Amino acid sequence: MQRAASPPPVYYSAPSPPEPPVQRGRLWRLLGWASIAMSVILVGGSLTAYGFWRRLDGQIHRENVKDKLGANRPAKLNDSINILLMGSDSRQGANAQYGTEQGERSDTTILLHISPGGAGAIGISFPRDSMVQMPSCKKSNGTTVPAQFGMINAAFSNAGPSCTWRTIESLTKIHIDHFVEVDFAGFKQVVDALGGVEICVPKPINDPKAELHLKAGKQVVHGAEALGYVRTRYVLGDGSDLDRIKRQQAFMASVVKKATDKGMLTDPGRTYSFLSATTKSIKADDGLTLSVMEKLASGLKGMSAGKVRFVTVPTMAYPKDKNRVQFNQALAEPLFQAIREDNTPPEPAPTPVPAQQKVQPVPPAQVRIGVFNGTAEHGLAQRTADQLAERGFKVVKVGTVKSAAKTRILYGAGAERQAARAAIAVPGHPPEAWAKAKPGYVYLIIGKDGAKLSGGGPAVPKVAGEIRADRDVCAQA
């Protein structure tokens, strides 16, 4: 069942609280297939023991895209990682055997979201037939492609990965950290390095165009067969791009399941072969450095297939063309919001002192609170206030104060129980009485150590047709 969009926060009128004190001191439409590459990271934690990081790092082709992303990007709200995964149908080099089409296109676009601390991961597919508004983009030769309305995969054709990056950020308001791009030849190499991937076919396949001949049922496919399987369109399903996306997601789920298999992880040779094939096959932004990959891998130790799922952005028919779709914003926005606000899991709250134990918190609706930013991070107080309002708090004022070293919860006379409720929402900051505060009011002063709300952001909603990486391979056939 889809979750309805969150209502806008309500702010209540109240006397302005005094300023608180400042504390001193055409393509394969493949599997977003770079997510195969990113399953590298799901097993990457084991690589530390082998000491091959630097050798693998040197195999990645990197591109500087920072100057093409523009200044008005979504803010980075938390410690999660968002990686844009793209499949390229370039016909150059080893890919020439697949035809002689000019240029490059990307009919596979997936946003891989990794929750803080490796708590889970979700791959969000953006159908190539989606009609969207694309921003202007800068090409490598310095020229600019004007903003336009069209199919989402046109962004890659217009100005490469950076344009797709800008487009997804503008549509979702999600801050993207890195991109990874892979082509035909690379896909085959990665699948072969895994020793093949298990699929389940509902009926025999005989597709000369895709050079694909498969028996019905569960089986393992290798490079060329795997490529044909994810490329074929009309011999399986209803021939639509959305149906093919489901098959690609099921394939990706099998890749993740294979890559995180204990037998794989305990075999250094197999692990290194897989990682080496992956790094040789991808292009990434130059910000995806060795240290970033090591940090990411370390944070994902213990990631299991059961914590990984794949979904498609909810869409609806595009009225002007029955062969196109558009985002269903009522269903898509809750998904985007949950990704934006997937906060770091809160640390356990400190053990309360006896005096605090005697305070019985009141419901959030009874808390009148002002939120003040004491840091250089623009918009932090407003974002925090919005999250508190969504939880039922009565936000009476949002403002700024002079630089604050630490986050504090202050309260006026008669607001001890209200402050106790605020401390539950923003753990780690014991409430302090303040003589200059207005009676009955609470003040949250956000310092340089931040203010992480308990329970993280809104839960990522269930999306119809989602596929978990630990499912039975024939369950979605």
Side-chain angles (χ1 to χ4, degrees):
M1 179 178 295
Q2 300 292 344
R3 195 185 69 170
S6 299
V10 178
Y11 296 102
Y12 295 79
S13 299
S16 296
E19 182 171 299
V22 178
Q23 185 185 35
R24 300 186 183 278
R26 209 171 27 228
L27 170 111
W28 43 323
R29 294 165 199 157
L30 283 185
L31 45 131
W33 87 264
S35 75
I36 286 184
M38 291 318 300
S39 49
V40 114
I41 306 224
L42 298 179
V43 300
S46 63
L47 190 61
T48 304
Y50 311 142
F52 292 134
W53 272 110
R54 193 164 300 279
R55 187 186 307 174
L56 293 170
D57 180 62
Q59 298 177 164
I60 300 175
H61 174 73
R62 289 188 170 88
E63 179 181 335
N64 185 348
V65 299
K66 287 184 179 180
D67 61 342
K68 301 176 185 177
L69 298 177
N72 299 320
R73 298 182 57 202
K76 178 73 173 178
L77 301 181
N78 47 48
D79 296 329
S80 63
I81 298 175
N82 298 308
I83 303 174
L84 185 62
L85 310 170
M86 292 168 280
S88 166
D89 69 348
S90 169
R91 306 305 169 93
Q92 299 180 1
N95 297 297
Q97 62 180 301
Y98 300 106
T100 57
E101 295 186 33
Q102 298 299 311
E104 287 187 277
R105 287 148 298 279
S106 178
D107 287 348
T108 298
T109 304
I110 293 180
L111 182 62
L112 179 63
H113 171 77
I114 303 173
S115 295
I122 181 171
I124 306 172
S125 295
F126 292 80
R128 69 181 185 92
D129 294 337
S130 300
M131 300 299 290
V132 301
Q133 182 63 43
M134 291 168 277
S136 61
C137 293
K138 185 184 295 185
K139 303 179 72 172
S140 297
N141 62 9
T143 61
T144 298
V145 178
Q148 58 189 266
F149 182 80
M151 287 173 57
I152 195 169
N153 66 334
F156 191 92
S157 302
N158 289 338
S162 62
C163 193
T164 300
W165 186 327
R166 277 176 55 82
T167 297
I168 298 300
E169 284 196 338
S170 69
L171 294 172
T172 66
K173 303 301 183 293
I174 296 171
H175 182 95
I176 296 174
D177 300 290
H178 305 287
F179 88 84
V180 175
E181 176 192 335
V182 196
D183 60 20
F184 290 157
F187 168 77
K188 293 167 57 178
Q189 292 169 5
V190 171
V191 172
D192 283 341
L194 274 172
V197 174
E198 190 174 52
I199 64 171
C200 188
V201 183
K203 62 180 181 179
I205 295 177
N206 184 13
D207 185 356
K209 187 175 181 179
E211 298 182 1
L212 184 63
H213 308 278
L214 297 173
K215 62 182 181 180
K218 188 180 296 186
Q219 58 203 285
V220 174
V221 292
H222 295 79
E225 283 182 326
L227 181 58
Y229 175 73
V230 295
R231 290 183 70 195
T232 190
R233 180 167 183 172
Y234 298 106
V235 299
L236 283 175
D238 59 12
S240 70
D241 186 58
L242 292 176
D243 191 76
R244 176 152 51 178
I245 285 176
K246 292 179 182 178
R247 187 166 65 255
Q248 294 165 359
Q249 290 175 339
F251 189 91
M252 285 188 288
S254 291
V255 169
V256 172
K257 190 175 184 179
K258 184 70 172 286
T260 56
D261 179 75
K262 291 182 179 180
M264 177 79 178
L265 297 177
T266 56
D267 186 331
R270 289 179 63 195
T271 301
Y272 180 73
S273 294
F274 171 55
L275 296 176
S276 182
T278 301
T279 53
K280 289 177 181 177
S281 304
I282 66 174
K283 178 192 293 185
D285 63 285
D286 59 2
L288 190 58
T289 62
L290 174 61
S291 60
V292 170
M293 290 190 295
E294 288 180 314
K295 181 179 179 180
L296 180 56
S298 178
L300 288 174
K301 288 180 179 179
M303 173 73 78
S304 65
K307 295 181 180 181
V308 183
R309 56 182 171 135
F310 298 94
V311 304
T312 303
V313 173
T315 59
M316 59 196 301
Y318 178 61
K320 296 181 180 181
D321 189 339
K322 65 179 182 180
N323 297 314
R324 304 287 179 260
V325 298
Q326 62 186 15
F327 290 179
N328 185 331
Q329 289 295 343
L331 301 180
E333 178 51 31
L335 173 63
F336 298 155
Q337 179 189 7
I339 297 302
R340 289 193 295 266
E341 300 178 11
D342 187 6
N343 296 322
T344 303
E347 297 179 0
T351 303
V353 297
Q356 291 175 306
Q357 290 177 331
K358 298 178 182 179
V359 177
Q360 183 66 38
V362 300
Q366 296 181 22
V367 182
R368 293 175 292 181
I369 187 170
V371 183
F372 300 85
N373 186 7
T375 77
E377 184 177 347
H378 178 70
L380 180 57
Q382 186 64 62
R383 293 196 300 271
T384 305
D386 289 347
Q387 293 175 18
L388 288 170
E390 288 176 354
R391 297 184 181 204
F393 287 83
K394 292 184 177 180
V395 178
V396 297
K397 188 175 180 63
V398 179
T400 60
V401 295
K402 295 179 181 180
S403 178
K406 293 184 177 181
T407 296
R408 306 172 70 190
I409 297 175
L410 309 175
Y411 63 93
E416 187 178 13
R417 295 174 63 194
Q418 287 82 352
R421 172 57 64 183
I424 294 174
V426 189
H429 311 285
E432 308 170 50
W434 180 34
K436 295 183 179 182
K438 285 185 177 295
Y441 284 82
V442 178
Y443 308 88
L444 172 61
I445 317 299
I446 306 177
K448 295 179 181 179
D449 54 344
K452 298 178 181 179
L453 273 64
S454 61
V460 177
K462 293 290 184 180
V463 179
E466 69 178 34
I467 295 175
R468 285 167 52 104
D470 64 346
R471 96 276 182 253
D472 180 83
V473 69
C474 287
Q476 300 292 332

